[in-house]
Amino acid sequence: MKACLLHSPAPVETNPLDFADVLVPEPRGGEVLVRVSACGVCRTDLHVVEGELPPRKSPVIPGHQVVGTVEKLGNGAHRHAIGDRVGIPWLHSTDQTCEYCRSGRENLCDHPTFTGYTVDGGYAEYAVAPEDFVYPLNESLSDPQVAPLLCAGIIGFRCLRLSGVKSGGRLAFYGFGAAASVAIQVARHWGAEVYACTRGKNHQQLASELGAVWVGEASDEPPVKLDAAIIFAPAGELVPPALKALKKGGVLVLGGFHMSPIPSFDYDLLYQERMIRSVANNTRQDGEDFLRIAAEIPVRTQVQVYPLRDANRALNDLKSDRVNGAAVLDCRS
Ligand SMILES: [Zn+2]
Ligand SMILES: [Zn+2]
């Protein structure tokens, strides 16, 4: 099969992904082989490819927003039928035995594997995954449009949950890429007002189109105090301005897997029971709940599609904010 291989991390400007022929993987016990039709390009892929996340496998095929159809079942796999449309997300497996898994927090598992990082992902024509960690997908969205829901969408949803925002609440999004453009649709569905602080005219315009009540630069102060804020951009310097935008008791959620260092700030910004919390991965429950709500709303995604062989170009465009909405690879041969 064709696949994009990362042998060793390097800046994406050097086009580190190698478009090559490799063997189609065999599903092991409890796994399914998926014929990939589309794979979303996530900011975390950028962190894997550039090495902000330390390499865990080499070579590795990146990509963890994988949409396709079940092609073959491993021994004992019975949850999905051949031909079913499914999605493979970032959380590839957990041990299901550690204290976190046993307390309903498998997103914090001590021994997880991650698609497109510790195991091969979806920048390829085929991928394998444990059947219990694969989501069935309904037909409401096309393959490229559903891909960004599988990470950006689910993580954005978990961020919203942890922000505690309710109907009538006000929250700010810092950064307006793929996750924010889905999360705003869920937030508005719940009756919350969204304020968008983001760089770049494209992102600002997208925020307005999707119903943000106010749009400004990343460092601008929203005109009212907010119940919650979510920082989607991997920029630690946004933490002090985001705290400043919160009401007393407000919650700041850090939605990125990776963030540049957070500068020091006066305790006053945090005092009055403001809270900062990070988001790590997601549980399968988050994914199932989100995909149900996404189909109900229904969530719309704006995607920019690239051929599989152009994964380096997609990553370069993502890094330099040239993608409006989400980048998605077309992996059909
Ligand atoms: Zn565990
Ligand atoms: Zn992701």
Side-chain angles (χ1 to χ4, degrees):
M1 67 170 182
K2 294 288 184 199
C4 293
L5 302 180
L6 178 71
H7 293 278
S8 56
V12 289
E13 292 81 0
T14 65
N15 298 324
L17 293 178
D18 179 21
F19 186 63
D21 282 296
V22 295
L23 290 175
V24 173
E26 265 303 305
R28 293 172 299 180
E31 290 184 340
V32 292
L33 174 70
V34 174
R35 185 188 183 95
V36 182
S37 54
C39 185
V41 178
C42 175
R43 193 161 280 279
T44 301
D45 300 343
L46 205 52
H47 300 318
V48 169
V49 170
E50 297 204 312
E52 280 115 338
L53 298 179
R56 300 278 297 273
K57 177 180 186 297
S58 176
V60 66
I61 301 171
H64 58 269
Q65 307 186 92
V66 190
V67 181
T69 51
V70 175
E71 175 94 0
K72 192 172 174 186
L73 304 174
N75 263 341
H78 53 77
R79 233 186 118 203
H80 310 280
I82 288 172
D84 280 3
R85 188 169 184 244
V86 294
I88 306 175
W90 170 247
L91 188 67
H92 192 86
S93 72
T94 58
D95 59 15
Q96 303 186 51
T97 56
C98 75
E99 66 170 293
Y100 301 102
C101 285
R102 285 187 284 113
S103 57
R105 296 178 293 164
E106 66 179 358
N107 60 306
L108 302 177
C109 177
D110 280 334
H111 304 102
T113 61
F114 297 116
T115 311
Y117 178 41
T118 64
V119 298
D120 285 335
Y123 287 17
E125 290 176 318
Y126 293 90
V128 289
E131 64 168 359
D132 289 342
F133 287 80
V134 167
Y135 297 114
L137 296 175
N138 71 30
E139 301 298 323
S140 64
L141 287 175
S142 71
D143 290 347
Q145 284 184 317
V146 84
L149 299 185
L150 288 168
C151 177
I154 296 172
I155 290 292
F157 180 70
R158 187 168 174 88
C159 290
L160 283 178
R161 274 192 161 162
L162 296 187
S163 79
V165 74
K166 296 192 176 59
S167 181
R170 291 168 163 164
L171 84 164
F173 289 172
Y174 289 82
F176 209 90
S181 66
V182 173
I184 189 173
Q185 298 176 61
V186 178
R188 293 189 65 217
H189 182 69
W190 287 347
E193 276 184 359
V194 174
Y195 295 71
C197 304
T198 186
R199 66 180 181 180
K201 283 280 163 275
N202 286 352
H203 290 180
Q204 292 176 354
Q205 194 186 335
L206 183 61
S208 298
E209 283 166 15
L210 290 171
V213 295
W214 175 90
V215 177
E217 285 295 324
S219 54
D220 287 352
E221 196 172 340
V224 292
K225 292 289 183 196
L226 307 164
D227 300 291
I230 302 172
I231 300 183
F232 289 109
E237 69 269 21
L238 293 176
V239 168
L243 281 172
K244 199 171 171 207
L246 293 180
K247 289 181 193 168
K248 289 184 269 192
V251 178
L252 171 58
V253 178
L254 311 183
F257 193 127
H258 172 84
M259 187 175 241
S260 58
I262 299 171
S264 67
F265 52 83
D266 284 341
Y267 180 56
D268 282 355
L269 287 183
L270 187 61
Y271 185 57
Q272 302 288 8
E273 303 197 346
R274 292 178 183 89
M275 220 182 318
I276 302 178
R277 60 184 308 179
S278 65
V279 169
N281 316 312
N282 61 273
T283 63
R284 278 172 282 175
Q285 191 69 49
D286 291 324
E288 283 159 20
D289 293 347
F290 167 68
L291 290 169
R292 192 175 326 111
I293 288 177
E296 260 169 45
I297 294 177
V299 162
R300 293 290 163 221
T301 55
Q302 187 174 344
V303 296
Q304 205 160 306
V305 179
Y306 300 76
L308 175 59
R309 64 171 65 242
D310 289 347
N312 282 310
R313 183 161 61 87
L315 286 167
N316 275 288
D317 286 354
L318 179 65
K319 186 176 181 180
S320 49
D321 282 333
R322 288 195 298 265
V323 181
N324 220 9
V328 175
L329 301 177
D330 179 348
C331 301
R332 293 166 303 180
S333 43

